Amino acid sequence: MEKTKQWSLMSIFLVCLLACTITTVIGVLIVSLVYVNNPQPHSEPGAQSLQTAIPMVPKAVDPKFQFLNHLSKSKVFEFPGGAIQWARYRNNANDYLSIEEEAFGSSLNSQRSQMSFGTLRIKSSGLRAPHWHFNANEHGYLVQGTAWVGVADDGAVITTYNVTAGQVIFFPKNTVHWIKNVGSEDCFFLLFFSTHEELQTLDVDDVFFSTPEDIASRSLKPEGGINFIRTFHKQEEDQGVNLPPNLAELVVSANYSQSPDNFVWRYFYDLKGSKEHRFPGGIIQLAQYWKNRSELSHNEKIFSEFLNQHQKALTLSTLRIYNNGLRQPHFHFNANEMGYVINGCAKVGIINAQSFTEFNIHIGDVIFFPTGTQHYIKSTCDEDLLLILAFSTGDQLQTLDMDDYLQATADHILAQLFFKKQKGPLGS
């Protein structure tokens, strides 16, 4: 009887133990299923746990960098024959060196500025390789040096010409062109492109080496056929600005000929020799389309008309402001404006719908004024301020100065607006 009782107690114990085990297993399974269906946050590269997340506050950027780029601080793209620097929009934000540079590039893009900017330095005998731009016209101003330029139009007509400091070059979109330094000093070009998207460019050597050998052979029909094509080898360094160390051995004879003026002046303008438009503080010269061409020379008319035939062409200008001179507050009806400081220094003021911004500019700085934004430039150096300016219009530039629009406003309107007593008929 006692053994039966002990067995009964043992049976109850074992049953309870089994029940506990089953319950534990079921509990573990339930927890596992819940975890699988509702995983806890985990760390991705650069991410934080939601439970310990700290709000990331973007570093503040001075608003002036919507309108200002210190180009001297940007990346220098070095080539065997020279160098290029950019003030432009980038699709990949990681391509900017600083948040200030990104602010400027983003401003160009968000304002649909239709402009990008770059400097091109070419060493003596160096060559900006033949290339073309998919999405922009190119306008350039030569600050220093002497260059020989070639342009191939859609009819396979080659136009060549020489350019010196103070002159302008123009290459329509998808036009093959090259620039060769034919002087003893570096050439320094200031280049404007009619796009606020990332500039798309293709160099002729890259095209050649990307083309299958048999296709190149059948297209070019060289003596020796495909075997001759195979004698070409792509250089390790990017040849965007080219200068072979054995150039004297490669080039036996060079002819820097000049095409007739009626071809040249479609792609060239003598800005330094053009009419000077004077104002109390300085001088403006313009390479643009003119509706009234009565004061233009025959060659200037060629440039004016050719420029106007191309969509999204730009207007170029030099602005010289004397010591302590002022380009008074003004705005442009039909164009964004971009500029580069060639010489001197100044204070710039910008008034738009949101704010007033004022900052200093020096040699090598790039500035940007959106359409309709009132701005002024005051020279602050002992020497003259010299700027090269580009405007996003192929039509005649439309500008209104502050004194013009205030003087044109009815005096009783101004009296009411500014709480100033209107003068009577006799000046009382």
Side-chain angles (χ1 to χ4, degrees):
M1 185 73 180
E2 188 175 358
K3 287 184 177 180
T4 303
K5 187 177 179 180
Q6 290 178 349
W7 176 248
S8 298
L9 290 174
M10 182 62 70
S11 298
I12 293 170
F13 172 77
L14 292 173
V15 168
C16 291
L17 180 61
L18 178 61
C20 289
T21 303
I22 293 171
T23 302
T24 302
V25 170
I26 293 173
V28 170
L29 288 173
I30 291 172
V31 171
S32 299
L33 289 171
V34 170
Y35 184 85
V36 169
N37 291 318
N38 298 280
Q40 291 296 310
H42 60 280
S43 295
E44 295 288 351
Q48 292 179 320
S49 168
L50 292 178
Q51 295 178 349
T52 59
I54 300 173
M56 296 298 291
V57 179
K59 184 178 178 182
V61 182
D62 191 318
K64 71 181 182 183
F65 289 108
Q66 300 173 70
F67 315 108
L68 171 67
N69 179 291
H70 294 310
L71 191 65
S72 60
K73 297 181 180 180
S74 69
K75 181 178 179 179
V76 179
F77 293 86
E78 299 279 1
F79 301 89
I84 297 174
Q85 283 184 284
W86 294 108
R88 68 181 192 180
Y89 170 74
R90 297 286 192 173
N91 288 329
N92 185 348
N94 293 327
D95 290 338
Y96 296 112
L97 291 188
S98 67
I99 56 174
E100 291 81 12
E101 188 178 30
E102 182 179 359
F104 186 80
S106 297
S107 177
L108 294 181
N109 185 258
S110 63
Q111 295 284 348
R112 304 190 65 79
S113 66
Q114 198 179 301
M115 285 192 288
S116 298
F117 176 78
T119 61
L120 169 63
R121 186 174 295 279
I122 309 176
K123 299 174 184 177
S124 178
S125 298
L127 168 70
R128 175 61 183 103
H131 64 284
W132 68 93
H133 308 289
F134 290 65
N135 61 336
N137 300 299
E138 178 180 352
H139 300 250
Y141 176 86
L142 181 57
V143 178
Q144 170 190 296
T146 305
W148 185 63
V149 176
V151 186
D153 67 16
D154 56 3
V157 175
I158 303 297
T159 299
T160 58
Y161 58 92
N162 294 281
V163 59
T164 58
Q167 297 176 328
V168 165
I169 56 178
F170 170 55
F171 308 125
K173 181 174 67 174
N174 290 321
T175 300
V176 177
H177 54 280
W178 70 79
I179 305 173
K180 163 80 175 178
N181 184 341
V182 294
S184 58
E185 62 179 345
D186 286 0
C187 281
F188 186 55
F189 282 92
L190 308 177
L191 305 175
F192 297 88
F193 302 86
S194 62
T195 182
H196 51 262
E197 303 292 346
E198 184 148 13
L199 186 64
Q200 299 175 17
T201 302
L202 199 55
D203 288 2
V204 165
D205 60 330
D206 291 329
V207 174
F208 178 84
F209 288 112
S210 297
T211 304
E213 294 174 341
D214 61 322
I215 300 299
S217 177
R218 291 179 63 180
S219 301
L220 301 175
K221 301 178 179 61
E223 184 177 346
I226 196 170
N227 290 327
F228 177 76
I229 297 296
R230 288 171 177 165
T231 64
F232 289 80
H233 302 287
K234 188 174 179 63
Q235 301 297 309
E236 291 185 5
E237 283 189 277
D238 190 332
Q239 297 297 306
V241 189
N242 158 285
L243 185 58
N246 60 337
L247 180 63
E249 300 173 14
L250 298 174
V251 178
V252 178
S253 176
N255 178 16
Y256 304 120
S257 60
Q258 179 98 353
S259 298
D261 282 352
N262 61 316
F263 288 99
V264 169
W265 278 77
R266 296 183 300 172
Y267 310 108
F268 164 88
Y269 192 82
D270 185 15
L271 186 58
K272 68 179 180 182
S274 65
K275 180 179 178 179
E276 295 181 346
H277 301 269
R278 295 182 175 271
F279 61 97
I283 301 170
I284 298 173
Q285 292 177 282
L286 290 154
Q288 70 164 0
Y289 168 73
W290 295 92
K291 291 181 179 178
N292 182 356
R293 297 185 288 277
S294 60
E295 296 186 10
L296 300 181
S297 69
H298 173 72
N299 287 335
E300 288 174 334
K301 289 177 182 178
I302 294 173
F303 180 83
S304 173
E305 292 169 3
F306 189 70
L307 193 68
N308 190 243
Q309 293 171 13
H310 292 84
Q311 292 185 345
K312 297 183 179 180
L314 304 178
T315 290
L316 257 59
S317 166
T318 52
L319 170 63
R320 182 179 296 277
I321 303 179
Y322 305 136
N323 173 35
N324 205 39
L326 171 70
R327 176 65 183 99
Q328 69 160 290
H330 64 283
F331 65 92
H332 308 291
F333 290 79
N334 62 336
N336 298 293
E337 177 180 351
M338 181 180 279
Y340 176 90
V341 183
I342 298 174
N343 195 62
C345 58
K347 186 177 289 294
V348 170
I350 301 171
I351 303 171
N352 59 22
Q354 290 78 37
S355 64
F356 166 72
T357 304
E358 192 175 56
F359 52 85
N360 296 313
I361 56 174
H362 303 85
I363 294 173
D365 284 341
V366 179
I367 51 177
F368 169 61
F369 307 126
T371 303
T373 299
Q374 181 162 284
H375 53 279
Y376 60 83
I377 305 173
K378 181 182 181 299
S379 176
T380 55
C381 284
D382 293 336
E383 56 189 338
D384 289 356
L385 173 73
L386 179 61
L387 292 146
I388 179 71
L389 304 174
F391 303 88
S392 61
T393 180
D395 292 323
Q396 186 164 325
L397 185 64
Q398 299 173 9
T399 302
L400 191 60
D401 289 356
M402 186 177 189
D403 64 342
D404 289 330
Y405 67 73
L406 284 178
Q407 290 172 12
T409 304
D411 58 355
H412 64 88
I413 297 297
L414 295 176
Q416 179 175 338
L417 176 63
F418 292 108
F419 293 79
K420 298 287 288 186
K421 184 177 179 181
Q422 180 185 9
K423 288 185 178 181
L426 299 178
S428 59

